Amino acid sequence: NLGYAQVNFAAVGNLDVENYDHYHSFQIQEFRRPEFEVSARNETTGPYFVGDHAIVAVEAKYYAGDPLPNAEVSWYVTTSPSSYQPPNWSDFTFGHWTPWWWYYYDEPVYGSSQYQSYAGFTDTSGNHYLRMDFNQTNIQQPFSVIAEATVMDVNRQAWAGSTSLLVHPADLYVGMRSERYFVERGSPLAID
């Protein structure tokens, strides 16, 4: 809709800033109807492991159905430490256990996110493919990969699509559980 609008920003995480919330107002003076649509997908099927690779793709096509060839593509890939728990194993903890009081400490549990950008052009079918190699050898936990592709046509209209995947450090996980987290000194703590 045309008229005034605002966007609210909320910082998340352990940041050294005074205000965690901010809003910005702006005015929408014109609306251009989209001329094409963009969708991103995983070309390769998981599970994905460190040492492997994955291929993601973005497709741009006009609403009439024709592909959008030779259009600028900008990829923005974010990798973040993550976690994994196999289905039906909710009693067990796999990887780092994060207690509810952890936010009082300053040091991060999982590490930080990394960002990379790539550029290219769609082919004659309106697709662009990006191969991502997972060559890091010191990874000890799963990490999440979000690949967002923005496609821009000759009219400088840009639309984006994204896809995500989870990369495992190994093909096996070790899970642990206990009936309780704390015991009196000298009392046994049974771990499964």
Side-chain angles (χ1 to χ4, degrees):
N1 294 330
L2 302 182
Y4 288 96
Q6 76 177 25
V7 62
N8 295 316
F9 297 96
V12 177
N14 188 9
L15 304 173
D16 188 20
V17 295
E18 287 183 24
N19 296 325
Y20 280 81
D21 296 316
H22 179 75
Y23 73 93
H24 180 75
S25 297
F26 57 94
Q27 186 180 14
I28 302 168
Q29 296 180 344
E30 181 183 11
F31 174 75
R32 287 195 321 177
R33 187 169 306 282
E35 298 172 3
F36 65 97
E37 63 182 336
V38 171
S39 62
R41 66 187 182 277
N42 295 345
E43 280 291 298
T44 52
T45 58
Y48 303 99
F49 298 100
V50 171
D52 288 344
H53 74 277
I55 298 174
V56 293
V58 65
E59 180 181 25
K61 60 182 178 181
Y62 292 105
Y63 284 114
D66 293 332
L68 181 61
N70 203 31
E72 291 180 37
V73 178
S74 299
W75 286 96
Y76 189 69
V77 179
T78 306
T79 59
S80 303
S82 189
S83 62
Y84 174 74
Q85 185 170 24
N88 302 321
W89 289 81
S90 60
D91 293 348
F92 286 81
T93 298
F94 295 85
H96 294 281
W97 176 65
T98 306
W100 60 270
W101 66 84
W102 190 257
Y103 67 91
Y104 289 116
Y105 298 98
D106 288 334
E107 71 182 73
V109 178
Y110 292 119
S112 59
S113 300
Q114 297 179 357
Y115 312 93
Q116 285 193 295
S117 58
Y118 306 94
F121 292 89
T122 57
D123 60 15
T124 55
S125 66
N127 287 284
H128 184 266
Y129 301 90
L130 179 68
R131 178 183 166 127
M132 299 178 292
D133 293 311
F134 311 122
N135 295 329
Q136 299 172 338
T137 56
N138 60 347
I139 299 297
Q140 297 179 4
Q141 69 186 75
F143 62 93
S144 171
V145 178
I146 300 174
E148 181 180 75
T150 302
V151 179
M152 188 175 297
D153 69 351
V154 293
N155 295 330
R156 309 309 291 168
Q157 216 177 37
W159 295 102
S162 67
T163 185
S164 63
L165 53 98
L166 184 67
V167 180
H168 300 279
D171 59 349
L172 297 174
Y173 280 85
V174 175
M176 298 175 69
R177 75 173 169 188
S178 63
E179 288 189 22
R180 52 189 167 174
Y181 299 118
F182 300 99
V183 294
E184 296 291 330
R185 184 179 1 177
S187 299
L189 178 61
I191 303 289
D192 294 330

